[in-house]
Amino acid sequence: MPLAILPGGTVNDFANHLSLPSTSRQFIQMLKDFHTIKVDVGKVNNGYFANVIAGGMFSDISFQVSKTDKERFGPLAYYVNGIRQLPTQLHTSLHLKVKTENEEFEEDARLFMITNTSQVGGFKDITPHASIQDGQLDLLIIKKCSATDMISLFKDYKLNAHEKSPFIRYIQAKEMTIECDKDIIYDVDGEEGTTFPIHVTVAKHALNIIIPHH
């Protein structure tokens, strides 16, 4: 069944990654052109996600911003809330155990994200090798590091060099299990996740999506 998505959220990472139209006129034109592609979706425990699972620093911000603020201020509501919480968020520390079909490792982390597209929270190319058609998911971990290191990491991101940073671990896999020493709230496409361990697989080309014909 072909699926047409009309973006209606605050940030719309998945829709923006696919360059989906936000006006009704362009949306109707897209339906008339009827160009489709098959895309992957992630399966987590007993549910599915289109774009991202994230846990750790700032990942619970979306649950703390009220619907009214999201509607009034848009993405700005997230940034303001994020800056307000910066001192406490910088102390986030998680001990992760990760297992994929290829490797097993442990990491002390500030944040982890498993992505299907390369865009998260309005930031492009966070996971630069991510593709929604490759049958893989991308795991990016920001390792435990100081506030100064975080600033340097952000500079690397602006230069699109963060993947090579010593504070980043970045892998691709078809299947991942993540255990965490803290029962933190994690984000699954903007909704609250359940509990750890998180077991994630990818359903390759599971959705047939209508996209603009460029």
Side-chain angles (χ1 to χ4, degrees):
M1 175 77 68
L3 174 68
I5 299 170
L6 180 59
T10 314
V11 182
N12 298 321
D13 290 313
F14 188 71
N16 289 337
H17 183 80
L18 290 170
S19 304
L20 298 180
S22 53
T23 69
S24 50
R25 188 181 54 79
Q26 290 170 318
F27 187 75
I28 290 163
Q29 188 58 51
M30 178 181 81
L31 295 180
K32 283 180 179 171
D33 294 340
F34 211 81
H35 179 65
T36 66
I37 59 163
K38 287 195 161 58
V39 305
D40 307 338
V41 293
K43 184 165 194 240
V44 53
N45 300 338
N46 297 314
Y48 290 89
F49 67 98
N51 200 60
V52 67
I53 294 176
M57 202 165 70
F58 296 121
S59 64
D60 56 355
I61 290 281
S62 60
F63 315 129
Q64 296 168 16
V65 178
S66 72
K67 199 171 178 197
T68 319
D69 281 355
K70 283 179 195 173
E71 283 165 2
R72 276 176 65 195
F73 304 114
L76 186 65
Y78 294 114
Y79 299 133
V80 170
N81 216 36
I83 289 163
R84 199 182 291 142
Q85 293 186 28
L86 192 60
T88 32
Q89 295 280 350
L90 281 170
H91 291 294
T92 306
S93 181
L94 312 171
H95 185 72
L96 305 176
K97 288 183 183 176
V98 179
K99 185 179 183 181
T100 75
E101 70 270 20
N102 302 315
E103 59 187 312
E104 279 185 62
F105 60 88
E106 296 188 25
E107 200 74 75
D108 286 317
R110 295 277 187 227
L111 169 75
F112 72 88
M113 58 179 77
I114 301 166
T115 77
N116 189 27
T117 77
S118 59
Q119 185 163 321
V120 179
F123 293 97
K124 291 186 175 178
D125 295 327
I126 290 272
T127 42
H129 302 295
S131 159
I132 50 170
Q133 295 185 293
D134 63 357
Q136 295 193 103
L137 294 167
D138 293 44
L139 169 66
L140 182 130
I141 295 172
I142 297 181
K143 299 178 188 181
K144 191 174 175 180
C145 59
S146 70
T148 322
D149 295 334
M150 287 294 292
I151 292 164
S152 128
L153 183 54
F154 190 72
K155 284 180 183 166
D156 284 343
Y157 164 71
K158 298 298 277 182
L159 298 168
N160 208 13
H162 61 291
E163 185 198 341
K164 304 274 192 299
S165 164
F167 311 117
I168 291 285
R169 184 148 193 168
Y170 180 27
I171 60 165
Q172 293 179 302
K174 293 180 175 66
E175 185 168 357
M176 303 174 195
T177 303
I178 298 182
E179 293 177 49
C180 181
D181 64 333
K182 295 184 180 71
D183 199 22
I184 57 161
I185 295 172
Y186 57 92
D187 178 301
V188 181
D189 275 350
E191 303 295 325
E192 286 190 35
T194 49
T195 53
F196 286 91
I198 303 172
H199 179 236
V200 181
T201 53
V202 63
K204 190 174 182 181
H205 296 180
L207 285 180
N208 192 23
I209 294 193
I210 303 166
I211 65 163
H213 193 43
H214 295 304

